[in-house]
């Protein structure tokens, strides 16, 4: 059974600081997604990583995928309050039937 | 706006009742997926339909069923509702339906079900 683990689950950080969220998964896959969810809202797609070594960046967020280590990271640079949300990684083993991590609740404090 | 439309947005009902959630996928997408998000179980894949046919089942209870119609919209039917079925139910769609990468998955706004 595919398991996806994120850490940390809760992250409180100051504006302007950098931090990394980690996503480990238990079986081979080369497709990984990162989503953002605001409270009570839908899942917003941030990144789709489709191969080993893939790196994508959008604004202050950068995601990478190491399929050999079964690890993806979401790096936050110079955090701002607007980044406060819950971030999910999800592994696509077969045909977009995603297995999600528990989510990382990020709070960015002024 | 992802282009995936779900109705109703909110639904409150009693235990033992039956409800139907509706989803219209993005234009051109043939696959529809249903996911459940609850506090204790997190986000879980329930079921997938591709071009009208069931393609895969996840952690879907026997009390739940779904279908995809010729116009590609989908309905998730939840019956004999229990308190624990209270959750946010998401529909998502993608272009393709099987094999490797089937296209980016886009989620609707969700239907929040409260069972009292």
């Amino acid at each position: 059974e595919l398991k996806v683990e994120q850490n940390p689950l809760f992250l409180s950080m100051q504006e302007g600081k950098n931090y990394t969220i980690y996503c480990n998964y238990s079986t081979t896959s080369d497709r990984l997604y990162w989503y953002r969810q605001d409270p009570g809202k839908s899942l917003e797609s941030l990144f789709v990583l489709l191969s080993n070594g893939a790196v994508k960046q959008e604004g202050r967020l950068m995601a990478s995928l190491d399929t050999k280590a079964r690890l993806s990271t979401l790096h936050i640079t110079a955090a701002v309050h607007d980044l406060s949300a819950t971030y999910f990684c999800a592994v696509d083993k077969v045909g977009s039937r995603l297995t999600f991590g528990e989510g990382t609740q990020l709070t960015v404090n002024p | 706006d992802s282009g995936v439309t779900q109705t109703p947005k909110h639904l409150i009902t009693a235990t033992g009742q039956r409800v139907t959630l509706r989803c219209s996928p993005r234009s051109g997408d043939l696959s529809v997926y249903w996911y459940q998000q609850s506090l204790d179980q997190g986000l879980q894949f329930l079921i997938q339909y591709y071009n009208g046919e069931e393609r895969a089942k996840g952690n879907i209870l026997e009390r739940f069923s779904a279908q995809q119609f010729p116009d590609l919209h989908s309905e998730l039917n939840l019956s004999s509702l229990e308190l624990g079925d209270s959750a946010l139910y998401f529909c998502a769609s993608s272009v393709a339906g099987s094999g490797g990468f089937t296209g980016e998955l886009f989620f609707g706004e969700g239907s929040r079900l409260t069972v009292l």
Side-chain angles (χ1 to χ4, degrees):
Chain A
E1 180 190 349
L2 173 58
K3 291 191 187 303
V4 181
E5 294 183 347
Q6 288 181 235
N7 74 82
L9 299 183
F10 298 93
L11 177 55
S12 180
M13 55 191 296
Q14 283 188 308
E15 281 190 330
K17 298 293 187 184
N18 305 331
Y19 210 84
T20 300
I21 299 170
Y22 297 88
C23 174
N24 292 274
Y25 54 98
S26 61
T27 64
T28 304
S29 175
D30 56 6
R31 296 190 297 276
L32 190 136
Y33 297 69
W34 283 96
Y35 287 92
R36 168 184 171 141
Q37 186 180 37
D38 292 299
K41 301 293 186 183
S42 183
L43 293 156
E44 174 191 353
S45 177
L46 296 175
F47 301 107
V48 181
L49 305 170
L50 297 178
S51 61
N52 184 42
V55 177
K56 290 196 174 181
Q57 182 164 4
E58 181 72 35
R60 300 175 188 274
L61 301 177
M62 183 174 71
S64 66
L65 178 61
D66 180 343
T67 59
K68 291 183 172 56
R70 298 177 188 166
L71 170 69
S72 180
T73 61
L74 180 66
H75 186 72
I76 303 155
T77 301
V80 292
H81 179 69
D82 284 353
L83 289 179
S84 296
T86 299
Y87 293 84
F88 291 92
C89 66
V91 175
D92 177 0
K93 182 69 177 171
V94 179
S96 297
R97 299 157 211 160
L98 304 184
T99 299
F100 283 84
E102 309 99 313
T104 296
Q105 188 175 318
L106 171 66
T107 304
V108 180
N109 303 302
Chain B
D1 182 2
S2 68
V4 179
T5 304
Q6 289 187 248
T7 58
K9 289 192 177 2
H10 301 275
L11 194 53
I12 302 173
T13 189
T15 54
Q17 295 299 304
R18 173 191 169 93
V19 299
T20 297
L21 310 180
R22 182 188 168 101
C23 168
S24 294
R26 291 191 327 148
S27 177
D29 284 358
L30 299 178
S31 265
V32 169
Y33 306 76
W34 288 96
Y35 286 83
Q36 180 196 58
Q37 185 176 32
S38 62
L39 284 176
D40 54 345
Q41 301 283 344
L43 269 158
Q44 290 195 98
F45 165 69
L46 296 179
I47 196 165
Q48 176 199 1
Y49 277 81
Y50 174 70
N51 205 20
E53 293 188 2
E54 182 183 301
R55 184 55 59 96
K57 272 187 174 180
N59 298 323
I60 189 166
L61 299 171
E62 285 193 9
R63 299 183 285 109
F64 296 180
S65 65
Q67 54 184 333
Q68 186 179 27
F69 294 87
D71 67 352
L72 301 178
H73 90 271
S74 178
E75 293 180 355
L76 179 66
N77 301 297
L78 316 175
S79 61
S80 303
L81 285 167
E82 302 175 0
L83 296 178
D85 297 328
S86 295
L88 194 50
Y89 291 85
F90 286 110
C91 170
S93 71
S94 71
V95 171
S98 64
F101 181 56
T102 55
E104 190 170 350
L105 205 57
F106 293 91
F107 283 79
E109 296 288 317
S111 293
R112 181 170 294 281
L113 173 66
T114 302
V115 183
L116 300 175

